[in-house]
Amino acid sequence: MTNLRSYLAAGILPLVLMAGACGSSGGSRVQGETDPRAAISVNNTEPTAPLIPSSTNDTAGWKVVTQLFDGLVTFDAKGRQTLVQAKSITPNQDATQYTIVLRPGLRFSNGEMIKAKTYADSWSFAANAANGQLGASAFSTIEGYDRIQDEHGDPKATLSGLEVVDDLTLKVAMARPDSSFPYKVGDVAFLPLPASAYKDIKAFGNHPVGNGPYRFKSWVPNQGIELERDPSYKGPRKARNGSLEFRDYQSLDAAYADAQAGRLDVLDTVPVSRLKTFRQESALQPLVKPGPAFRSLTVPQALPHFQGREGALRRQALSRAIDRKGIADKVFAGSVVPASDFLAPTITGHAGDITGHEVVDYDPDRARELWKDADAISPWEGTLRIAYSADGTDKDWVDAVLHGYSKVLGIKADANIFPTGKEFNTAVHNRQVNSFFNSGLTSDYPHPEGYLVQGYASSQADGKGLNNGDYKSGEYDAILARAATKVDLDKSMEDYRLAQTVLFKDLPALPLWYRKVSAVAGKQVRDVPFGYMGLPVYNRITKQV
């Protein structure tokens, strides 16, 4: 997903809000008593794509889809894996084959049984290029993936690496070693689809049938999506509330005002304009925790002046011209932490001493030297632009970066603004953004691969994944391939560190910062746990009676 994907060692701990006494027409209530039928309202924006798991590539869609569907595994607030629909996932010695055993008695909300074939069909559909699923590249390490990458081919062609042994057993043969696979199946693209979905996938995406704690109720475009608790759900994520309303907001300031007035229960991102004051807001409960979101500026590989030696010099100059700490303090009021690598603080392998990391240090003099050296190869011309969407939280920091570029490098710099996140994400996916652009990763699964492969591997370029700058490096890919053969994560860390040295040299994206969870809840809300994705655990939000 453009904004999606993350986790492992240190994670995001649940935030428990203390509720006060509450009265009602029925008489006094016990302090903090919650209503299991409560309708919980939360902020969102319009999803970029229909509500199909394998076509979900933005946070707005992820929020909804993950409430409608359960998968093989999930992860707790610290990134530890929990088996959900899988009873076991067993690798062979070199991570080239996996045996998945399902729990018996699994069903979709419409009563359809979930079997090993259900997963095999769903994954083949998702991986087949003829079906146009945005998450197809997540299956690229499974045997047979390359043979079904013809977008004009047979949409029913399947992944040859999937063998249905019996109703509960699925064997997965990998085209190459993939030690991250037991984590990767936690990606939204691996969620199962019922047989009815394939009859009219577009219609299904507008009215999905899932197997999660909630059922789909309604979707009014550009207004919101409503879900209701599924009483037949028997999985581990039982809903503690009656329903969820995901409300679309064009402005986070408008959402914040609704939260202040008690019209919105939970706002998962505080607008930049309120970061300095939201902790003191008497009408709201502040929620602040470390988060998994890595933010960056992607530099498309095809941009003029950004290839070869000239491009390397300019990327380094632009990275050193960003005052990350100054922006973190002045614009974000300390709600972000300047980046020191390409992972997130909540991920095993995150470090501040990777070879080459000095390129993210603010050094105006060195930035000017590098820019001058690049000009000696080919003089700079034109305006440097940064793209973002107006309905997000990016204007203030983008303006600060642009101002820094003009001041330090003496160049013209301007914003490239898209009206909505949906339009921006669509343009990024279609390669219609001819400038730097706001980007980032929050991995669906707690493994360094979720950032380093998904964001920068050649297999994820050209619209096949999240490598939206289309960066390609044989050296980088080879290091990651070696890491993938090591089932023991600790043993693969050396390779993941080495891979990051290549990223610091090539700078396909300029690391910016890691965003903390800065959220608010109304006084009527009691519990808002936050999960490994830095988003609310929606099924566990409770509200006072």
Side-chain angles (χ1 to χ4, degrees), residues 113-356:
M113 293 293 294
I114 298 174
K115 303 177 181 180
K117 186 178 184 301
T118 306
Y119 275 95
D121 290 345
S122 298
W123 295 359
S124 288
F125 171 82
N128 191 322
N131 295 317
Q133 299 300 287
L134 300 178
S137 64
F139 303 88
S140 62
T141 57
I142 297 178
E143 180 67 44
Y145 174 82
D146 291 342
R147 292 194 289 273
I148 56 173
Q149 293 312 294
D150 180 1
E151 60 184 30
H152 302 296
D154 179 6
K156 294 183 179 180
T158 62
L159 287 165
S160 59
L162 301 180
E163 178 190 353
V164 177
V165 178
D166 55 43
D167 283 351
L168 299 180
T169 309
L170 178 66
K171 283 191 175 181
V172 185
M174 314 307 292
R176 55 186 182 275
D178 186 358
S179 59
S180 70
F181 188 72
Y183 296 88
K184 189 182 292 183
V185 294
D187 188 291
V188 68
F190 285 82
L191 293 170
L193 294 176
S196 59
Y198 310 114
K199 297 176 181 177
D200 188 338
I201 192 65
K202 183 177 180 180
F204 177 85
N206 292 324
H207 199 296
V209 174
N211 61 328
Y214 295 91
R215 296 183 301 201
F216 178 84
K217 185 177 180 182
S218 66
W219 182 359
V220 179
N222 300 308
Q223 291 187 33
I225 295 171
E226 291 187 47
L227 311 180
E228 59 185 2
R229 180 173 59 198
D230 182 359
S232 68
Y233 177 75
K234 293 181 173 58
R237 298 191 298 144
K238 289 183 170 57
R240 298 182 183 179
N241 50 60
S243 62
L244 297 174
E245 180 186 356
F246 292 91
R247 296 181 186 170
D248 291 353
Y249 285 93
Q250 298 299 313
S251 161
L252 283 175
D253 286 297
Y256 189 89
D258 274 1
Q260 282 181 305
R263 294 189 293 267
L264 179 68
D265 293 320
V266 179
L267 173 61
D268 61 38
T269 305
V270 173
V272 172
S273 62
R274 301 286 186 164
L275 286 173
K276 294 180 180 179
T277 60
F278 80 97
R279 293 174 180 83
Q280 290 77 45
E281 174 59 61
S282 61
L284 296 170
Q285 302 180 71
L287 314 173
V288 181
K289 282 289 175 182
F294 166 78
R295 305 304 302 174
S296 59
L297 274 180
T298 290
V299 185
Q301 297 294 302
L303 277 186
H305 292 290
F306 287 94
Q307 291 86 45
R309 177 61 178 163
E310 179 197 357
L313 292 167
R314 295 203 188 280
R315 291 164 192 265
Q316 293 174 43
L318 290 166
S319 182
R320 289 183 176 271
I322 300 173
D323 184 2
R324 293 167 177 80
K325 186 177 187 306
I327 293 174
D329 293 341
K330 296 174 184 177
V331 175
F332 289 104
S335 64
V336 301
V337 178
S340 59
D341 72 351
F342 286 80
L343 296 177
T346 57
I347 299 296
T348 293
H350 166 69
D353 61 349
I354 303 291
T355 300

Side-chain angles (χ1 to χ4, degrees), residues 22 28 68 79 126 169 200 231 243-244 247 266 270 305 367 414 418 423-424 426-427 464 483 496 499:
C22 177
S28 62
L68 293 170
T169 309
D200 188 338
S243 62
L244 297 174
R247 296 181 186 170
V266 179
V270 173
H305 292 290
D414 201 359
F418 288 77
E423 291 169 278
F424 171 70
T426 300
K464 298 176 182 176
Y496 287 122

Side-chain angles (χ1 to χ4, degrees), residues 338-472:
S340 59
D341 72 351
F342 286 80
L343 296 177
T346 57
I347 299 296
T348 293
H350 166 69
D353 61 349
I354 303 291
T355 300
H357 75 278
E358 300 85 359
V359 76
V360 300
D361 293 342
Y362 182 49
D363 189 341
D365 291 337
R366 181 60 179 147
R368 282 187 283 267
E369 291 175 4
L370 290 162
W371 196 258
K372 183 178 179 180
D373 290 345
D375 278 344
I377 298 173
S378 177
W380 174 259
E381 57 185 16
T383 300
L384 189 143
R385 304 172 74 209
I386 297 176
Y388 68 95
S389 65
D391 60 352
T393 61
D394 305 302
K395 181 183 186 304
D396 290 346
W397 73 258
V398 170
D399 286 348
V401 171
L402 291 169
H403 176 73
Y405 284 164
S406 296
K407 181 180 178 181
V408 173
L409 302 175
I411 62 175
K412 292 181 180 179
D414 201 359
N416 179 13
I417 307 172
F418 288 77
T420 67
K422 181 176 182 178
E423 291 169 278
F424 171 70
N425 291 331
T426 300
V428 167
H429 178 72
N430 292 335
R431 304 304 189 260
Q432 296 170 336
V433 181
N434 299 312
S435 68
F436 283 34
F437 57 85
N438 167 44
S439 58
L441 290 167
T442 306
S443 175
D444 275 6
Y445 50 99
H447 195 285
E449 199 256 19
Y451 291 82
L452 302 181
V453 172
Q454 299 300 322
Y456 312 105
S458 300
S459 62
Q460 308 300 304
D462 303 322
K464 298 176 182 176
L466 301 179
N467 181 357
N468 290 311
D470 295 328
Y471 168 68
K472 298 174 184 176

Side-chain angles (χ1 to χ4, degrees), residues 37-49:
R37 299 167 299 175
I40 305 297
S41 57
V42 297
N43 68 294
N44 205 10
T45 58
E46 179 74 0
T48 303

